[in-house]
Amino acid sequence: MVLDQTPRTDTYHVDGDRLLTKEDGTSHLSYANLAVALIDEVEPPKRHKPTSP
């Protein structure tokens, strides 16, 4: 995976634990979109639900 400094697009794709790649096998994500995705998972979690002890 390549992290780059392209502008934030407000879109990203998730597919469980699988890395999504283009036909040529590459995968790119901007630092800005990574930050948005991380915040989206923190509050409130969209993909992972906390488990009770």
Side-chain angles (χ1 to χ4, degrees), residues 7-25:
R8 178 178 165 184
T9 63
D10 289 329
T11 61
Y12 56 89
H13 303 280
V14 292
D15 187 23
D17 294 333
R18 219 172 51 131
L19 178 64
L20 299 175
T21 60
K22 297 179 183 178
E23 288 183 14
D24 65 1

Side-chain angles (χ1 to χ4, degrees), residues 3 8-9 17 22-23 26-27 29 34 40 44-45 47-48:
L3 288 173
R8 178 178 165 184
T9 63
D17 294 333
K22 297 179 183 178
E23 288 183 14
T26 62
S27 181
L29 179 64
L34 175 59
D40 284 350
R47 295 178 351 110
H48 300 285

Side-chain angles (χ1 to χ4, degrees), residues 1-2 8 12-14 22 25-26 32-33 37 39 41 43 51:
M1 174 188 282
V2 176
R8 178 178 165 184
Y12 56 89
H13 303 280
V14 292
K22 297 179 183 178
T26 62
N33 285 338
I39 296 302
E41 281 301 306
E43 212 175 73
T51 59

